[in-house]
Amino acid sequence: MSTDSYADTAERPISLTAPSGIDREAHSRLDEAWLAAAWSHPTTRVFVVSGGQALVDDTPDGRTELVMTPAFEAPLTETHRYFLGTDEDGVRYFALQKDALPGRMDQSARPAGLREAGLLLSPRDAGLLVHAVALENWQRLHRFCSRCGERTVIAAAGHIRRCQACGAEHYPRTDPAVIMLVTDEEDRALLGRQVHWPEGRFSTLAGFVEPGESIEQSVRREVREEVGVDVGHVEYVASQPWPFPSSLMLGFMASATSSRIEVDGDEIHEARWFSREDLRAAFESGEVLPPYGISIAARLIELWYGKPLPRPGDVL
């Protein structure tokens, strides 16, 4: 792998992490008068999120955008109104959580989630959708107080749930998860296929951080549990928000100290060592399908592989 190709790959932003240009203005979330004024401002823009999806539209010049409306045209909602932030031009953005997405008279818009639209949207729109989907997931799953069991109410423009019975405040949850590309002494990459994935879909290993362990310990434990390989050196690469439903992916490169593979059979159905030539040939033949481009897994493999992974229809 050449130094130039590695640098080009390393410098490209990871999906869902590019600067969005949005100031979240957390200090304004508890100011009800400010929020009311922001909502009623003519430049404010609003979109609906439902089940992890929003409406997107393809523009005549080939871009894909979130479908947004002024606040006065937005669907009615009493409480599920989430303030997402303000852009550099002073435009404020809100998301509304609804049971279903609204219809469109022109029929040009389509529903899409982050997996479908994350690579197509601008950094601003992708950042807004990540924020909104994460809040929606958390809100749907945390309607009751974990301390006393009573129903909670929304506060701080969607960023707090308060229990009026015991006074507890609950904040959006993010679960740390490690995702790692493991290489051996021959500089081969270890890729695995989960039991529920389609035939040929291989990717990096991943797992959740357990209570009381460091992220480096988590990397070594997960690799050992899933494929029976021991890991020594662990090097952090980058992170990625992953609201499916509430994770933060922490990406690593890891060096194996053993090479014998013993898959657990519960999470990983198959695992293999690949040289770059092996992986290239497997891509070309269709034997191996690359991981989804939106995932940080693709970037970790690219850093080792030396160039962007193919997408469907590409010729290597």
Side-chain angles (χ1 to χ4, degrees), residues 4-312:
D4 289 342
S5 63
Y6 183 94
D8 290 344
T9 302
E11 290 174 1
R12 289 192 297 108
I14 297 169
S15 299
L16 310 181
T17 65
S20 65
I22 300 294
D23 179 355
R24 294 195 174 197
E25 290 199 81
H27 60 279
S28 299
R29 294 171 186 164
L30 294 172
D31 189 335
E32 294 297 334
W34 186 94
L35 290 169
W39 175 260
S40 63
H41 198 278
T43 64
T44 292
R45 290 296 176 265
V46 181
F47 65 95
V48 175
V49 61
S50 180
Q53 292 188 320
L55 290 178
V56 301
D57 209 350
D58 298 319
T59 66
D61 59 358
R63 293 177 294 112
T64 299
E65 296 180 336
L66 280 176
V67 174
M68 301 192 201
T69 65
F72 64 84
E73 294 181 2
L76 296 177
T77 181
E78 294 182 1
T79 56
H80 293 277
R81 178 193 298 174
Y82 310 143
F83 173 61
L84 304 179
T86 305
D87 69 15
E88 296 171 350
D89 296 321
V91 177
R92 279 91 180 227
Y93 296 91
F94 287 81
L96 302 181
Q97 178 182 325
K98 303 289 287 184
D99 291 334
L101 295 175
R104 289 273 295 203
M105 295 298 291
D106 56 16
Q107 300 297 312
S108 65
R110 68 181 188 279
L114 285 166
R115 285 189 173 92
E116 300 87 359
L119 291 174
L120 304 175
L121 295 170
S122 68
R124 183 203 70 180
D125 284 7
L128 290 170
L129 188 55
V130 167
H131 192 173
V133 167
L135 285 177
E136 182 205 18
N137 285 331
W138 174 68
Q139 293 283 357
R140 289 186 184 278
L141 297 175
H142 293 81
R143 293 176 295 170
F144 297 91
C145 180
S146 59
R147 180 183 294 175
C148 72
E150 293 295 321
R151 183 176 289 274
T152 56
V153 297
I154 297 173
H159 294 77
I160 294 176
R161 292 194 72 100
R162 289 197 178 111
C163 179
Q164 295 178 316
C166 72
E169 289 190 344
H170 305 279
Y171 295 85
R173 173 180 172 179
T174 298
D175 300 319
V178 292
I179 183 167
M180 46 275 176
L181 180 69
V182 180
T183 57
D184 67 0
E185 292 181 351
E186 300 177 39
D187 200 22
R188 298 178 300 173
L190 178 60
L191 302 180
R193 182 168 73 85
Q194 293 190 17
V195 293
H196 61 276
W197 284 358
E199 189 74 27
R201 176 74 68 192
F202 280 80
S203 189
T204 55
L205 304 178
F208 288 103
V209 179
E210 291 189 347
E213 70 178 355
S214 70
I215 51 179
E216 292 85 1
Q217 290 171 332
S218 181
V219 168
R220 297 186 181 102
R221 175 185 53 76
E222 284 288 345
V223 175
R224 179 65 180 168
E225 288 179 356
E226 292 185 349
V227 297
V229 171
D230 294 320
V231 165
H233 180 68
V234 174
E235 182 176 354
Y236 173 75
V237 177
S239 64
Q240 180 188 40
W242 198 248
F244 304 111
S246 58
S247 299
L248 175 66
M249 304 302 294
L250 306 169
F252 296 86
M253 305 296 281
S255 299
T257 59
S258 67
S259 60
R260 182 179 177 182
I261 296 173
E262 296 181 11
V263 298
D264 63 2
D266 294 323
E267 294 185 53
I268 302 299
H269 177 74
E270 180 183 4
R272 293 163 53 186
W273 291 105
F274 291 88
S275 69
R276 292 179 183 81
E277 292 72 23
D278 292 338
L279 193 58
R280 183 179 300 112
F283 284 153
E284 290 176 342
S285 68
E287 177 188 357
V288 168
L289 305 174
Y292 299 106
I294 192 174
S295 170
I296 191 176
R299 184 55 48 81
L300 294 174
I301 299 173
E302 287 174 350
L303 288 173
W304 164 82
Y305 188 60
K307 64 179 181 179
L309 299 181
R311 296 183 184 180

